[in-house]
Amino acid sequence: MNYQKKTVLLKNGQTCVIRRPEEGDAEMLLEYLKVTSGETPYMIREPEEVRTSAEEEVEFIRKNREDPRALMLLAFVDGALAGSCSFGGVSERNRMRHRCTVGISLYREFWGMGIGTALLGEVLAGAKAAGYEQAELEAVSTNEAAAGLYQKLGFQVTGTIPRAFKYKDGTYADFLFMAKPL
């Protein structure tokens, strides 16, 4: 899917550049996955579970750039990667082609600056332009900041999965399923 690089003004007056990933970003993105997975209990993986090679990440970036029904965006503040957001189809089956899943994450140091709002706004607009009619995501129920952001952008809680995550210490977290008509 095509996307033209944009610059947005953040809450603190800084600017944020939003663009698609390039093949040269592969190593940076793998490090980003490892760090963000360790910064918060809200990600689906532990840092040591990031086992993708740089070559595999390059291929992922290439395929995403060529897919007319998918989009991944990166946000940069002062040249530093701050976060990423993406959408992709739930299924290619006719009865489910109208639905897409959305994912977003930011380095902790960039939380609360408006980057998540900007990224999600761009991704949701892209999903609608790609022909999707509904965006869906999952959020850990204790992640109140994320759930608040999603609700601010029109997502509604449609269900929960109890004990969806099991942490290393034996505790659990529930998932909220959220959806938004596009």
Side-chain angles (χ1 to χ4, degrees):
M1 169 168 218
N2 290 328
Y3 180 82
Q4 294 298 316
K5 178 170 76 171
K6 293 188 179 169
T7 301
V8 296
L9 188 63
L10 301 175
K11 293 178 187 179
N12 64 4
Q14 288 182 283
T15 57
C16 174
V17 174
I18 299 174
R19 67 167 174 81
R20 297 186 68 192
E22 300 164 356
E23 292 179 17
D25 295 328
E27 299 262 353
M28 174 184 61
L29 286 172
L30 292 173
E31 181 63 19
Y32 164 78
L33 283 174
K34 290 176 187 173
V35 173
T36 55
S37 294
E39 285 185 327
T40 171
Y42 306 130
M43 300 287 284
I44 64 170
R45 69 182 62 82
E46 297 286 347
E48 63 271 13
E49 293 178 303
V50 178
R51 297 185 187 108
T52 305
S53 71
E55 294 79 19
E56 290 168 325
E57 188 69 10
V58 166
E59 186 60 23
F60 171 80
I61 291 167
R62 187 177 298 126
K63 284 182 179 179
N64 183 271
R65 290 181 67 88
E66 294 170 358
D67 189 338
R69 291 184 41 92
L71 178 65
M72 180 178 184
L73 296 176
L74 306 179
F76 293 86
V77 177
D78 293 330
L81 178 62
S84 71
C85 189
S86 63
F87 73 80
V90 168
S91 174
E92 286 301 310
R93 303 239 184 246
N94 288 337
R95 294 179 181 180
M96 294 172 44
R97 282 184 56 84
H98 67 290
R99 298 168 48 210
C100 68
T101 59
V102 175
I104 184 170
S105 62
L106 303 174
Y107 279 119
R108 181 181 287 273
E109 69 182 283
F110 294 102
W111 291 3
M113 297 171 65
I115 297 168
T117 301
L119 275 172
L120 277 168
E122 293 297 310
V123 160
L124 292 172
K128 185 172 183 172
Y132 291 105
E133 299 172 28
Q134 180 167 291
E136 302 169 7
L137 54 79
E138 298 167 350
V140 175
S141 62
T142 55
N143 190 350
E144 294 174 8
L149 169 62
Y150 306 146
Q151 289 172 334
K152 177 178 86 171
L153 293 173
F155 284 87
Q156 294 182 331
V157 175
T158 59
T160 61
I161 296 180
R163 298 166 46 128
F165 273 6
K166 183 176 182 180
Y167 297 108
K168 289 179 180 179
D169 67 0
T171 60
Y172 297 91
D174 298 346
F175 266 175
L176 301 176
F177 276 117
M178 301 182 82
K180 170 190 172 59
L182 298 173

